[in-house]
Amino acid sequence: RRPRPRRRRPRRAREQLPRGRPRPRPRRSRPAPAATGACGACHLSHASDIPSLLTDTAPALCGRCHELRSPTGHAHLPFVEGKCLACHDPHGSRVEGALRAEGPALCATCHAAEAAPASGPGGHAPSAQDCSVCHASHAGARPNLLKDSQDRLCLSCHATVMGEPSA
């Protein structure tokens, strides 16, 4: 059987820019099976003991394409527990890395107590924009998954301290 051609949905007027050009759509970040429509790479068609008719657990499925090393040092709890889907959407998203949300919005789903002051009055602008500027997402050698020492992280943006260049 030949697959049916996909029907294109008609464009709505609000999706048109002046001169009739279509509005550019945000790129989707998709894992390979989702991007190619290879549902059977992860799902069974009739029955499974695993929810969503999956062929294996999420970390085992993710590990087929991604190298999932055992973390050394400090690690993000969902990563250690193999809960990849807490942060990543296996069918793709509009966010790079198939993340479920962007920057602080994703982190705030679990770290609301830390995220609220960062985006409020007196908050540090970089922490309100993107947590990954300072923090690793899966594992790292430092507490709180910092990518470097706190002093070096500060000085990477604040090159002058009290009016003098930092060393």
Side-chain angles (χ1 to χ4, degrees), residues 5-163:
R6 291 178 69 181
R7 289 187 341 168
R8 294 181 66 142
R9 69 178 177 85
R11 288 196 173 106
R12 295 178 296 216
R14 67 183 178 143
E15 290 180 330
Q16 297 292 319
L17 293 174
R19 295 187 220 116
R21 286 183 287 182
R23 183 178 309 242
R25 295 195 180 275
R27 255 186 39 204
R28 285 183 57 90
S29 174
R30 298 171 124 188
T36 60
C39 305
C42 301
H43 298 277
L44 296 170
S45 54
H46 296 110
S48 174
D49 293 334
I50 302 169
S52 301
L53 297 175
L54 292 176
T55 59
D56 210 336
T57 61
L61 286 173
C62 298
R64 289 180 189 173
C65 299
H66 302 280
E67 185 180 341
L68 302 177
R69 288 177 259 139
S70 295
T72 56
H74 303 271
H76 196 213
L77 190 59
F79 180 70
V80 172
E81 294 176 345
K83 295 182 177 174
C84 308
L85 305 183
C87 300
H88 299 278
D89 185 334
H91 297 118
S93 77
R94 297 190 189 286
V95 182
E96 191 66 36
L99 294 174
R100 293 190 176 275
E102 291 194 66
L106 176 66
C107 300
T109 59
C110 296
H111 302 283
E114 292 86 355
S119 61
H124 192 227
S127 59
Q129 294 167 0
D130 188 2
C131 305
S132 69
V133 169
C134 299
H135 298 275
S137 54
H138 293 128
R142 293 178 180 76
N144 299 317
L145 301 181
L146 288 175
K147 291 181 174 179
D148 206 340
S149 71
Q150 187 169 351
D151 293 338
R152 282 193 187 115
L153 286 171
C154 295
L155 292 173
S156 68
C157 293
H158 303 281
T160 60
V161 177
M162 298 178 60

